[in-house]
Amino acid sequence: MNKILLIGNLTRDPESNTTSSGVNFTRFNVAVNRPFANSSGERVADYFDVICWRQLADRCAKYLYKGSKVGINGSVQRRQYEDRDGIKRTSFDVVADEVEFLTPKTDGARQAQDNVPSDLHPVDNDDLPF
């Protein structure tokens, strides 16, 4: 069984692209804090490269940004390639089946709340005519 569950924060904005056959994909990197400190007392994080496909890729590209907290359910996939110097390399990617957005919808919603005039006061439901 090949399953992975992660909760972490994006280290940079997602990058979207399209394959030569027209399939959308989005890549991003997630930092996941370890549940313990190292011998120096510092908290350590592990970093995972994540790839999403099709509609999930579109949603991630649209709504995620650096610092977004996400929950990811997916699998690990090994990828082999040659670097610029012709050396064979291996990397591991998390292929996301599901991405749960754990950051509040938008910071704009918080800004809208901050712009509420100060002369407004809460209304008691008993005072409403309906």
Side-chain angles (χ1 to χ4, degrees), residues 4-17 24-32 46-54 56-61 64 68-79 91-101:
I4 187 167
L5 296 170
L6 302 170
I7 294 178
N9 296 81
L10 272 68
T11 61
R12 61 180 181 271
D13 288 337
E15 297 174 7
S16 295
N17 214 330
N24 296 338
F25 66 95
T26 298
R27 291 184 168 276
F28 53 90
N29 188 271
V30 175
V32 178
D46 293 303
Y47 298 88
F48 296 89
D49 292 319
V50 179
I51 186 166
C52 305
W53 294 94
R54 298 173 181 78
L56 180 58
D58 296 338
R59 286 192 304 274
C60 288
L64 295 179
S68 294
K69 186 178 236 19
V70 293
I72 298 168
N73 178 11
S75 59
V76 178
Q77 188 175 67
R78 186 176 77 154
R79 183 170 46 104
S91 70
F92 292 89
D93 294 325
V94 174
V95 179
D97 296 324
E98 298 174 273
V99 176
E100 184 79 25
F101 303 161

